[in-house]
């Protein structure tokens, strides 16, 4: 009789990466739905397009690198990168801009660094930052006016042709800056009350945006519930941002209030879906808290004193830089040791 | 109930225990041959004390360890020794080892037994001797000789004695069924161990998925001081370190043993064996083994003679050979696969799983690590499994070791949850093995270099000494010559009367000069203090001291090795150092003796 020879453990109960990624997609659907409801077809088209480009470019580069294409495509990680970009890009971002974002995310930020698991930076955010720097106009003016789908919104076909055409001027009538941008630019000359009268803000915090944020929060809670992510990064992220905006922004006539920071930008999407990308995040619980808090703090700094309206991408990338450093200083204390061993020097201290 | 603590991480694999608890413990019976490996525990292998053709009785000692740590092996039934040769034994590597094959004669005739009715009347050492002579070694995991474990170092008082009935591995129910059916024996054995150790607290720990066993133990411990701890079901709560944490909130220091914090764990099966050894005088010749898996028709627990071929045991449980895909000895989390059914049951075998392909499917192909951190989440030792994996894979063993690789208990929880199905434990085993090989080589080369240098230095020294002696002699001869000449002249002038006295004085002077120059020479040559005064007696004493020190270190090293303690390499270095010390002392002694011989020689020649 010949028996299978195998190393222990013989039982496995892993949720394969492909299934984890599938859950991420599912958890992002409420947010996508809310975006579509409140801002029109733009994001939906973006998402489909970005996923398609992501899969195509992943397949192409895997082929070039002589890796098993089907094996890696099945892990769904490229699809998630495409999805995240589709969700974050402006609704009317031209197809070629999103394509550049996706291709640079997959080809440069992911595969050229060695593929899945080897990329030090969050691929989606590399793509986002790249197009934000390269095409600032396309990236800041193509945000849809909220609540369009049920109020003289451009139809699906119209949206599609707008996105597909290279001419960005066609959409002027339906676009505007994001609430955070709006607030930041107006508050220098107006009071908070005056600024908030702008239609972007509606009657609540930021028309449409608050619902989108709530939907991403719900999806994030689902991921937490499924134990696909742990609470540390989102908690650190939101706490960092909240504490910063409470500390500096208590005067609404000067800085955007905390409610806007949390609900009127990419905060929830960033906290639960983007910063939690395990490959480029810190690893230990303590490290994750620091990593998340760092992103939250940086977002506040960039939004308030920097030149970019939303700062998730830059903050995530900056903290990606810090990950080896954080990991180095936050190893857990192993059972039976007095203290954690930090770094590679100082042997025999455990 | 006493307070319980939690341990970090842990997983909840499917238990698969009910299959083997449906039937009471059955007796497997006597197979047509028994294979008894000479090494069934950590320590020195036993040496056969029978030869082929001998007839032995049931319970007769057939192999023993005379030198070093170990326990004897006994004949599980009466019969004829067929041969003593190398056969496959249960081992992860599938290796062969020395075994005694016994052909039972079917009479199952016991040796006269010497049960002890009141062990309290004996010395503790006498009871320990009984335990040793009964061939007891831990029946759970590694198989540490029980008598040695029950005698912790004098300064390490055991305040808590834990009987480990957690049995957290899926499938295994041997302890569960033992507790259900032999509760009295379990408690009796525990009482003997408690009497030896005099702990302040005795706890039996059982996972809460074994209510029947817990109830049986509750009844059996009624009216005693023994506590019962029903602990939450979570793998690996039965790991020694984890169990100690659950029950005491304390951690065993890295590289240390439980006795360092006043705790000792014993296995359920070991307790039963102690009871049988003391109260019935029976050596360890059988044990309870769970035989389960979907490829056997009648899974359950068997009382199996040690040495029973697994083939026979599987037959008893109704093996469906066409269905069996994987044979695991031990549990699915930490057990290892067997290549063949020809290996025997040994003292540490607690479970045998004949699994079908769908039951324990082959893991999907390995994918890249996505740093998801699941592995760190479940690691009970709070390690960073993914970092250990990176470093092991990249052969950066130094870094892996620095991240406490050697604290990994190889529980497999990390591999169990890894979404990329990376065989993490396999990487750790590889890294540990490599590091040990490297260390051994390092040690060997260090030792060789030191020896070479010492030899080199000695040769040089000897050369110098020779040279010096030659010079001295030449000088002395020249002096004597000139003196003689002078004396002859003097005698010629002063007459014969003074002649005799003068020549005597000259001789004395000569001898003194010779001695002085010799002492000077030795002083100049060597900085070693032992050499300043080549006093043979002191040197002998030094050598003796060094030798005894070496012996103690060696003993400590052996102990540490068997416990797989982490200070092994430190001790290894210490042993090496003491080796050299002994060598130096020996050298010094021989040198001194040579010198003395030289001295007398040179004195007698002149
Ligand atoms: S569980 Fe596997 S994939 Fe996840 S971090 Fe650990 S080794 Fe990497
Ligand atoms: S096998 Fe080692 S690293 Fe993995 S979970 Fe167990 S102790 Fe931790």
């Amino acid at each position: 009789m010949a028996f299978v020879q195998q190393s222990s453990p013989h039982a496995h109960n892993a949720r394969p990466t492909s299934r984890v990624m599938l859950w991420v997609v599912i958890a992002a659907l409420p947010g996508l739905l809310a975006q579509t409801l409140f801002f029109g077809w733009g994001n939906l088209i973006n998402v489909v397009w970005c996923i398609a480009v992501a899969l195509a470019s992943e397949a192409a580069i895997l082929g070039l690198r002589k890796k098993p294409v089907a094996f890696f495509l099945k892990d769904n990680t490229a699809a998630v990168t495409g999805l995240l970009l589709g969700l974050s890009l402006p609704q009317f971002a031209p197809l070629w801009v999103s394509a550049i974002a996706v291709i640079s995310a997959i080809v440069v930020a992911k595969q050229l660094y060695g593929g899945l698991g080897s990329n030090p930076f969050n691929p989606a955010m590399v793509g986002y930052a790249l197009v934000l720097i390269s095409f600032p106009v396309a990236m800041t003016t193509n945000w849809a006016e909220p609540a369009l789908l049920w109020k003289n919104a451009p139809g699906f076909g119209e949206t599609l042709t707008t996105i597909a055409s290279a001419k960005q001027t066609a959409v002027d009538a339906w676009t505007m800056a994001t609430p955070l941008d709006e607030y930041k630019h107006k508050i220098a000359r107006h009071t908070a009350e005056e600024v908030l009268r702008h239609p972007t803000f509606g009657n609540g915090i930021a028309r449409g945006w608050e619902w989108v944020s709530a939907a991403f929060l719900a999806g994030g809670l689902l991921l937490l519930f499924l134990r696909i992510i742990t609470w540390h990064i989102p908690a650190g992220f939101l706490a960092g941002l909240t504490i910063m905006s409470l500390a500096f922004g208590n005067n609404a006539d000067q800085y955007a209030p905390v409610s806007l920071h949390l609900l009127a930008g990419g905060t929830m999407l960033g906290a639960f879906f983007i910063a939690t990308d395990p490959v480029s995040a810190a690893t230990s619980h303590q490290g994750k808290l620091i990593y998340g808090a760092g992103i939250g703090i940086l977002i506040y700094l960039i939004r308030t004193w920097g030149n970019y309206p939303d700062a998730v991408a830059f903050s995530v990338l900056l903290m990606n830089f810090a990950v080896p450093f954080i990991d180095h200083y936050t190893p857990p204390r192993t059972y039976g040791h007095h203290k954690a061993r930090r770094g590679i020097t100082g042997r025999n201290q455990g | 109930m006493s307070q319980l603590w939690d341990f970090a991480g842990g997983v909840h694999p499917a238990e698969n225990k009910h299959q083997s608890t449906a039937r009471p413990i059955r007796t497997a019976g006597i197979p047509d041959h028994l294979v008894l490996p000479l090494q069934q525990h950590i320590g020195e292998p036993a040496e056969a004390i029978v030869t082929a053709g001998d007839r032995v009785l049931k319970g007769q000692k057939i192999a023993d360890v005379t030198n070093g740590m170990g326990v004897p092996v006994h004949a599980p039934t009466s019969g004829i020794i067929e041969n003593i040769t190398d056969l496959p034994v249960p081992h992860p590597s599938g290796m062969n080892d020395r075994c005694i094959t016994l052909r039972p004669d079917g009479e199952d005739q016991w040796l006269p037994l010497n049960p002890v009715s009141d062990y309290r009347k004996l010395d503790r050492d006498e009871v320990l001797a009984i335990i040793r002579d009964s061939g007891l070694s831990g029946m759970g995991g590694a198989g540490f000789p029980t008598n040695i474990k029950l005698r912790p170092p004098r300064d390490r008082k055991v305040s808590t004695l834990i009987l480990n009935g957690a049995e957290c591995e899926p499938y295994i129910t041997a302890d569960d069924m033992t507790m259900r059916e032999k509760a009295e024996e379990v408690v009796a054995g525990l009482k003997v161990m408690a009497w030896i150790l005099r702990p302040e607290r005795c706890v039996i720990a059982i996972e809460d998925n074994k209510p029947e066993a817990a109830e049986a133990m509750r009844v059996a411990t009624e009216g005693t001081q023994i506590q019962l701890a029903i602990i939450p079901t979570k793998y690996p709560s039965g790991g020694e370190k984890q169990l100690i944490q659950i029950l005491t909130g304390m951690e065993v220091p890295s590289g240390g043993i439980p006795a360092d914090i006043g705790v000792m764990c014993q296995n359920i099966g070991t307790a039963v064996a102690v009871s049988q050894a003391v109260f019935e005088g029976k050596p360890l010749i059988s044990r309870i083994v769970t035989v389960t898996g979907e490829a056997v028709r009648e899974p359950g627990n068997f009382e199996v003679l040690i040495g029973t071929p697994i083939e026979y045991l599987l037959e008893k449980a109704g093996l469906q050979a066409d269905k069996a895909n994987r044979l695991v000895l031990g549990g699915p989390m930490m057990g290892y696969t067997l290549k063949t059914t020809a290996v025997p049951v040994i003292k540490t075998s607690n479970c045998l799983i004949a699994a079908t392909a769908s039951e324990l499917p082959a893991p999907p192909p390995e994918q890249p690590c996505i740093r998801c951190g699941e592995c760190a989440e479940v690691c009970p030792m709070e390690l960073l499994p993914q970092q250990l994996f990176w470093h092991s894979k990249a052969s950066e063993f130094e870094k892996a070791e620095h991240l406490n690789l050697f604290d990994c208990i190889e529980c497999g929880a990390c591999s169990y949850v890894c979404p990329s199905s990376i065989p993490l434990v396999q990487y750790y085993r590889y890294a540990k093995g490599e590091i040990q090989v490297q260390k051994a080589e390092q040690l060997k080369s260090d030792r060789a270099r030191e020896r070479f240098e010492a030899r080199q230095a000695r040769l040089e020294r000897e050369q110098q000494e020779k040279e010096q002696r030659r010079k001295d002699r030449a000088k002395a001869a020249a002096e004597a010559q000139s003196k003689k000449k002078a004396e002859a002249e003097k005698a010629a002038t002063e007459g014969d009367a003074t002649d005799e006295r003068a020549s005597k004085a000259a001789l004395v002077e000569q001898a003194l000069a010779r001695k002085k120059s010799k002492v000077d020479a030795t002083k100049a040559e060597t900085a070693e203090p032992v050499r300043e005064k080549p006093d043979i007696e002191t040197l002998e004493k030094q050598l003796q001291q060094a030798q005894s020190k070496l012996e103690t270190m060696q003993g400590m090293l052996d102990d540490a090795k068997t416990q797989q303690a982490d200070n092994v390499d430190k001790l290894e270095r210490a042993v090496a150092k003491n080796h050299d010390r002994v060598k130096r002392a020996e050298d010094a002694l021989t040198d001194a003796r040579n010198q003395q011989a030289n001295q007398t020689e040179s004195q007698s020649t002149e």
Side-chain angles (χ1 to χ4, degrees):
Chain A
M1 257 181 280
F3 298 105
V4 170
Q5 298 302 299
Q6 193 89 54
S7 153
S8 69
H10 305 283
H12 295 271
N13 185 28
R15 212 165 13 187
T17 307
S18 56
R19 194 151 4 123
V20 170
M21 293 299 151
L22 208 58
W23 274 114
V24 174
V25 175
I26 292 168
L29 290 182
L32 179 60
L33 186 72
Q35 281 182 331
T36 313
L37 279 178
F38 289 98
F39 297 101
W41 297 104
N43 280 117
L44 191 58
I45 296 171
N46 273 348
V47 163
V48 173
W49 167 245
C50 288
I51 291 181
V53 176
L55 292 177
S57 47
E58 174 107 330
I61 187 90
L62 282 171
L64 274 177
R65 293 182 62 210
K66 304 211 174 5
K67 300 266 175 188
V69 176
F71 177 74
F72 279 106
L73 271 192
K74 270 193 290 191
D75 65 26
N76 293 337
T77 51
V80 166
T81 301
L83 169 80
L84 294 178
L85 273 169
L87 294 172
S88 341
L89 290 168
Q91 285 80 15
F92 294 112
L95 286 186
W96 58 271
V97 170
S98 25
I100 290 176
V102 174
I103 292 171
S104 44
I106 298 285
V107 174
V108 180
K110 183 177 173 188
Q111 292 293 343
L112 291 191
Y113 274 103
L116 176 63
S118 305
N119 47 299
F121 302 107
N122 186 320
M125 291 301 104
V126 170
Y128 189 95
L130 187 99
V131 290
L132 180 58
I133 298 170
S134 315
F135 315 106
V137 178
M139 287 295 289
T140 49
T141 56
N142 282 315
W143 295 94
E145 198 180 324
L148 273 181
L149 194 59
W150 58 70
K151 211 181 81 187
N152 60 24
F156 180 79
E158 210 173 338
T159 311
L160 188 60
T161 32
T162 311
I163 293 179
S165 81
K167 277 197 240 94
Q168 289 150 34
T169 45
V171 293
D172 270 1
W174 314 312
T175 58
M176 59 188 356
T178 64
L180 277 165
D181 219 11
E182 190 73 31
Y183 198 97
K184 186 174 159 187
H185 287 122
K186 296 259 173 75
I187 200 67
R189 281 168 285 119
H190 304 271
T191 62
E193 211 185 316
E194 286 166 338
V195 175
L196 289 175
R197 248 181 255 142
H198 189 276
T200 318
F201 299 100
N203 302 323
I205 295 158
R207 197 140 58 97
W209 290 86
E210 60 220 359
W211 289 104
V212 171
S213 289
F216 279 125
L217 174 62
L221 294 179
L222 174 68
L223 292 182
L224 269 181
F225 173 75
L226 292 171
R227 299 168 61 108
I228 284 172
I229 58 174
T230 64
W231 57 270
H232 304 83
I233 292 178
F237 185 124
L238 297 177
L241 183 57
T242 308
I243 291 168
M244 285 298 279
S245 46
L246 286 179
F248 291 95
N250 51 4
N251 181 2
D253 287 331
Q254 212 176 349
Y255 298 115
V258 66
S259 53
L260 274 189
H261 274 294
L262 291 181
L263 296 174
T267 304
M268 291 302 166
L269 176 63
F272 289 95
F273 290 85
I274 293 171
T276 49
D277 162 37
V279 176
S280 53
T283 46
S284 69
H285 288 167
Q286 199 193 349
K288 283 178 181 169
L289 274 172
I290 296 173
Y291 173 78
I295 297 177
I297 292 169
L298 281 172
I299 287 182
Y300 187 81
L301 295 178
I302 298 175
R303 278 181 184 173
T304 310
W305 292 290
N307 267 332
Y308 291 94
D310 205 342
V312 175
F314 290 122
S315 308
V316 168
L317 292 178
L318 279 171
M319 287 312 287
N320 286 164
F321 268 113
V323 160
F325 182 76
I326 296 174
D327 278 349
H328 188 102
Y329 283 100
T330 54
R333 181 192 65 93
T334 305
Y335 175 108
H337 286 256
H338 289 304
K339 51 184 174 186
R341 281 188 174 173
R342 302 188 200 286
I344 194 77
T345 52
R347 299 182 55 105
N348 304 327
Q349 52 170 294
Chain B
M1 214 170 78
S2 48
Q3 187 187 353
L4 298 180
W5 282 262
D6 193 15
F7 66 89
V11 289
H12 296 94
E15 290 172 16
N16 286 308
K17 294 208 184 221
H18 57 274
Q19 296 95 316
S20 52
T21 51
R23 298 170 182 77
I25 298 176
R26 287 166 276 175
T27 310
I30 307 174
D32 70 346
H33 72 286
L34 291 156
V35 177
L36 297 140
L38 292 179
Q39 182 154 35
Q40 302 186 23
H41 54 72
I42 284 178
E44 297 299 316
E47 264 170 56
I49 49 178
V50 289
T51 45
D54 288 2
R55 175 161 196 268
V56 293
L57 294 179
K58 182 173 187 169
Q60 184 179 333
K61 200 185 280 184
I62 53 173
D64 202 355
V65 177
T66 44
N67 233 333
M69 188 179 77
V71 293
V73 180
H74 301 82
T77 183
S78 58
I80 308 287
I81 302 295
E82 193 162 82
N83 58 39
I84 302 170
T85 170
D86 283 356
L87 293 171
V89 294
H91 192 271
S93 69
M95 66 176 193
N96 286 9
D97 202 5
R98 216 38 148 195
C99 298
I100 298 178
T101 306
L102 175 67
R103 186 71 54 186
D105 56 15
E107 284 169 33
D108 208 24
Q109 186 188 351
W110 273 104
L111 200 74
L113 301 175
N114 300 312
V116 176
S117 52
D118 193 359
Y119 63 90
R120 284 164 216 266
K121 290 216 181 88
L122 300 180
D123 229 33
R124 287 185 165 73
D125 280 340
E126 284 174 298
V127 177
L128 285 171
I130 293 175
I131 289 173
R132 184 204 173 272
D133 281 335
S134 304
L136 262 63
S137 56
M139 292 167 74
F144 194 82
T146 307
N147 63 309
I148 295 183
K149 192 167 176 182
L150 283 173
R151 193 187 279 137
R154 207 151 289 173
D155 54 329
R156 297 284 154 76
K157 167 116 183 63
V158 170
S159 53
T160 306
L161 174 60
I162 297 172
L163 200 57
N164 185 350
E167 202 163 45
C168 59
E169 272 253 21
Y171 285 97
I172 311 182
T173 56
D175 288 349
D176 185 358
M177 295 307 285
T178 306
M179 286 189 282
R180 289 192 207 184
E181 297 188 17
K182 301 182 183 214
E184 295 298 332
E185 277 178 90
V186 172
V187 173
L190 177 60
K191 281 182 178 163
V192 174
M193 295 193 272
W195 175 78
I196 294 170
L197 295 164
R198 286 175 267 204
E200 286 147 29
R201 183 181 171 211
C202 261
V203 205
I204 303 177
I206 306 171
E207 271 194 347
D208 59 13
N209 61 355
K210 306 180 211 2
E212 295 92 341
E215 177 57 21
M217 294 314 298
R218 196 190 57 73
V219 173
T221 55
E222 212 147 75
T224 66
Q225 300 275 306
I226 300 168
Q227 298 170 13
L228 211 57
I230 309 301
I231 61 173
T233 299
K234 173 163 104 167
Y235 178 84
S237 63
E240 192 174 63
K241 291 178 172 173
Q242 279 64 44
L243 188 59
I244 289 172
Q245 199 174 15
I246 293 173
L247 296 178
T248 68
M250 292 190 288
E251 295 179 8
V252 181
S254 174
I257 56 170
D260 292 340
I261 52 168
V263 183
M264 179 181 296
C265 282
Q266 292 284 357
N267 177 266
I268 295 287
T270 312
V272 173
V274 167
S275 158
Q276 287 174 351
V278 173
F279 299 109
E280 298 174 46
K282 288 181 181 168
L284 178 56
I285 52 165
S286 70
R287 65 157 299 144
I288 310 292
V289 184
T290 305
V291 186
T292 183
E294 281 172 18
V296 294
R297 266 190 306 270
E298 293 171 28
N301 283 278
F302 291 86
E303 170 127 31
V304 187
L305 294 180
I306 306 290
T308 300
I310 273 163
E311 206 169 3
Y312 171 88
L313 191 55
L314 285 171
E315 204 56 46
K316 283 270 157 184
L319 176 73
Q320 294 160 290
D322 49 329
K323 281 193 177 177
N325 171 260
R326 197 186 308 193
L327 261 190
V328 179
L329 192 63
M333 297 299 283
M334 291 181 80
Y336 50 87
T337 48
L338 294 176
K339 282 197 177 75
T340 149
T341 53
V343 299
V345 166
I346 59 172
K347 292 175 185 175
T348 50
S349 322
N350 54 1
C351 181
L352 182 61
I353 306 171
T356 60
S358 61
E359 188 178 10
L360 296 180
E366 180 178 339
Q367 279 172 292
C369 167
I370 53 167
R371 300 184 18 113
C372 66
E374 290 273 335
C375 47
E377 205 81 0
V378 300
C379 177
M381 297 301 288
E382 291 171 86
L383 296 163
L384 291 170
Q386 55 157 319
Q387 268 88 331
L388 292 178
F389 155 67
W390 282 115
H391 295 320
S392 304
K393 192 174 181 180
S395 298
E396 295 168 340
F397 301 127
E398 175 105 342
K399 290 186 187 168
E401 207 184 342
H402 181 71
L403 288 174
N404 304 328
L405 172 67
F406 281 94
D407 283 298
C408 169
I409 56 171
E410 299 184 15
C411 68
C414 50
S415 307
Y416 178 76
V417 297
C418 176
S420 297
S421 59
I422 303 172
L424 295 162
V425 184
Q426 209 171 329
Y427 282 101
Y428 308 149
R429 284 202 194 106
Y430 160 73
K432 284 184 184 173
E434 286 298 299
I435 293 171
Q436 258 142 12
V437 168
Q438 277 178 9
K439 281 213 174 122
E441 261 162 27
Q442 176 69 29
L443 193 74
K444 229 161 79 187
S445 72
D446 277 357
R447 229 184 257 173
R449 187 172 43 77
E450 278 169 29
R451 237 182 269 136
F452 174 77
E453 280 169 3
R455 189 181 125 86
Q456 215 54 12
R458 199 191 61 222
L459 289 180
E460 212 164 285
R461 209 168 51 223
E462 280 171 3
Q463 192 58 36
Q464 275 177 6
E465 273 171 10
K466 238 187 202 160
E467 189 74 2
Q468 189 64 34
R469 276 201 296 273
R470 200 183 54 73
K471 273 189 196 150
D472 286 349
R473 269 202 292 270
K475 201 167 138 210
E479 267 172 24
Q481 200 68 34
S482 60
K483 249 193 192 138
K484 244 184 203 159
K485 216 167 160 190
E487 267 161 24
E489 275 164 21
K490 215 175 170 189
T493 49
E494 281 180 14
D496 283 352
T498 51
D499 195 354
E500 214 176 345
R501 239 185 314 150
S503 68
K504 251 184 201 159
L507 268 179
V508 171
E509 238 166 72
Q510 250 176 319
L512 276 178
R514 211 165 41 224
K515 201 162 198 174
K516 190 163 177 288
S517 73
K518 196 164 267 164
V519 169
D520 284 350
T522 22
K523 255 190 201 158
E525 274 158 25
T526 167
E528 271 175 13
V530 286
R531 303 200 48 85
E532 264 180 33
K533 205 170 120 219
D535 177 353
I536 304 240
E537 230 172 274
T538 348
L539 285 175
E540 265 167 356
K541 219 180 264 160
Q542 270 165 354
L543 175 62
Q544 246 167 26
Q545 273 167 359
Q547 267 165 344
S548 72
K549 182 107 187 265
L550 174 63
E551 263 161 44
T552 14
M553 294 313 280
Q554 188 70 47
M556 277 165 75
L557 173 61
D558 288 345
D559 278 9
K561 265 189 187 153
T562 50
Q563 287 159 30
Q564 298 186 318
D566 265 9
N567 52 352
V568 166
D569 47 346
K570 226 183 271 167
L571 285 171
E572 250 160 7
R573 276 195 295 278
V575 167
K577 217 182 271 165
N578 280 300
H579 255 296
D580 295 325
R581 198 166 288 157
V582 170
K583 189 88 188 69
R584 270 203 304 276
E586 272 170 358
D587 285 349
L589 189 60
T590 18
D591 280 358
R593 280 194 181 127
N594 285 345
Q595 218 169 316
Q596 207 181 36
N598 270 340
Q599 239 164 30
T600 34
E601 183 196 64
S602 56
Q603 263 161 8
S604 61
T605 45
E606 289 191 36

